[in-house]
Amino acid sequence: MFAVSRAGVVAVSVFAWVGEPGPRKSPTHVAWLWAGQWDSPWFIAIAEHGYQRTPDNAPAAFFPLYPLLIRIMTPLGLGRSWVAALLVANLALAAALILLYRLTELELGREAAGRAVFYLVAFPTGFFLGAAYNESLFIALAVGTVYCLRRGLWWTGGLLGGLAVMTRSAGILLVLAFVVEYTRQVVKLSKLSALIGIPAGLGVVMLVDHIAYGDALAFSHAQARHWGRHLAWPWQAPLDALTGTGAPFTEIWTHNVLELGTVLGLGALLVTRSRSNLLGLALLTFAVSFPSRYTADIPYPLYSASRIGLEAFPAFMVLGALGRRPWVDRAVVTVFVTTQGILAAHFLRRGWVA
């Protein structure tokens, strides 16, 4: 599935320029486009120069593990950080698919597992999993955490959970997965100490921010100052997106429909009964509880929800089980693959996709 998805990315990278007279895009330049747009340059700049001070300390919003791995892998990327960023993301994607398959197989069976990994990479924003973003790394660590906890590997799960927190703030919700699995399995009290690994990851982030900016909560303050993200009731942003979509088929309308559709669709999957769905709901609720500032100049209350929704991996496990019905599978594949092709081509042509 990893190889098939990478072949699909290559195909989109070629066909994105069909119809443009004389595009003159070298393979190297097209590859760079997957690592040189929107959030990606932030990660690469941190990998190259560390956390630099700015008026709003915006780099603090990007957690340190992914930039650190980019820096470590740069020699393998021929000395180019952007190549290393793609290398780390794609290696993490391979790990994420293997772990998601194993976890879904353990919970829902082999056929559901095969469909779950396909639906994840085929999701409309699934191309971000191989771009220079930290989504694939977070998913690999989060799924790995749950899988280890399910197998009773408490210290390994705690370590992976801590690394997940060092990748994205939502990783702190893995504490919930730890407590749920610990309660279900009723293991020795001594194993509960492994839980410390998850909040320890947040402690590392706070230490890095304190050293770089003299502010242990710089990651939160940067999100508020630079991107206007703030804590709100989880239903507020979806309601704003529903009522403020603007005229049909405009850019604002398209983005808000995509983000709202992601939240509602994944939410519907996660209200079904499944062992991992509580974590999935928590991840999705966390994403919509910190919307962007909803004003005339930023009319996207669910900013990036279509991408962050990838992290709610239990939804793809449920969808893998539902896909045993041929009509469900065909509908999902048609909608996912078609939409991803359009969005990926738009992204490559420097269009904004969250």
Side-chain angles (χ1 to χ4, degrees):
M1 192 56 62
F2 173 79
V4 169
S5 68
R6 297 311 86 198
V9 166
V10 172
V12 170
S13 300
V14 172
F15 287 106
W17 313 106
V18 170
E20 181 176 310
R24 297 179 182 176
K25 304 293 184 184
S26 68
T28 300
H29 179 72
V30 174
W32 175 84
L33 289 174
W34 288 106
Q37 301 192 82
W38 307 112
D39 285 0
S40 298
W42 290 99
F43 291 116
I44 294 171
I46 295 168
E48 293 177 343
H49 309 294
Y51 284 96
Q52 299 293 305
R53 289 182 178 268
T54 65
D56 52 12
N57 292 335
F62 300 90
F63 279 30
L65 184 59
Y66 181 48
L68 176 62
L69 293 177
I70 294 173
R71 190 178 187 92
I72 292 172
M73 295 292 283
T74 295
L76 293 180
L78 305 178
R80 298 179 179 181
S81 297
W82 69 268
V83 175
L86 293 177
L87 183 60
V88 172
N90 282 273
L91 288 174
L93 173 58
L97 296 181
I98 292 169
L99 291 166
L100 181 62
Y101 183 94
R102 295 296 297 272
L103 179 62
T104 309
E105 182 183 33
L106 188 65
E107 186 168 322
L108 299 169
R110 179 169 295 184
E111 291 187 1
R115 287 188 293 265
V117 296
F118 175 72
Y119 294 154
L120 177 65
V121 295
F123 191 70
T125 55
F127 59 89
F128 279 111
L129 296 172
Y133 278 69
N134 61 1
E135 260 69 33
S136 57
L137 178 60
F138 177 78
I139 294 170
L141 292 169
V143 178
T145 299
V146 176
Y147 182 70
C148 287
L149 296 177
R150 198 69 56 82
R151 297 291 300 273
L153 303 172
W154 301 101
W155 283 102
T156 305
L159 174 61
L160 292 177
L163 294 174
V165 181
M166 292 172 60
T167 306
R168 293 188 63 84
S169 58
I172 197 65
L173 297 174
L174 291 168
V175 168
L176 176 64
F178 191 107
V179 172
V180 168
E181 290 301 325
Y182 185 88
T183 303
R184 281 174 171 162
Q185 297 182 38
V186 193
V187 296
K188 295 179 180 179
L189 187 62
S190 60
K191 300 295 184 181
L192 187 60
S193 57
L195 176 62
I196 192 63
I198 299 175
L202 182 59
V204 171
V205 174
M206 295 173 69
L207 178 61
V208 170
D209 283 354
H210 177 72
I211 294 172
Y213 302 109
D215 177 10
L217 296 177
F219 64 91
S220 178
H221 298 152
Q223 287 282 8
R225 294 168 186 165
H226 192 86
W227 284 273
R229 291 193 180 276
H230 58 280
L231 181 62
W233 294 111
W235 55 80
Q236 186 60 54
L239 285 176
D240 287 340
L242 182 63
T243 58
T245 54
F249 303 107
T250 60
E251 181 183 9
I252 296 173
W253 182 90
T254 302
H255 278 287
N256 282 332
V257 167
L258 178 63
E259 314 287 4
L260 183 61
T262 297
V263 171
L264 295 180
L266 295 179
L269 291 170
L270 290 169
V271 296
T272 60
R273 291 189 64 184
S274 177
R275 189 168 178 178
S276 301
N277 278 9
L278 181 60
L279 174 62
L281 280 171
L283 289 166
L284 190 62
T285 300
F286 187 86
V288 301
S289 296
F290 291 90
S292 63
R293 182 176 57 249
Y294 185 52
T295 62
D297 60 320
I298 309 179
Y300 308 105
L302 287 171
Y303 188 93
S304 299
S306 59
R307 169 172 54 86
I308 298 173
L310 289 164
E311 298 169 7
F313 64 88
F316 297 96
M317 297 169 62
V318 173
L319 192 57
L322 294 176
R324 66 181 180 275
R325 300 178 176 88
W327 70 268
V328 173
D329 180 65
R330 291 173 190 145
V332 170
V333 171
T334 300
V335 173
F336 279 16
V337 173
T338 302
T339 307
Q340 182 177 151
I342 295 170
L343 293 178
H346 184 61
F347 176 83
L348 281 173
R349 296 170 68 94
R350 295 186 177 277
W352 178 58
V353 182

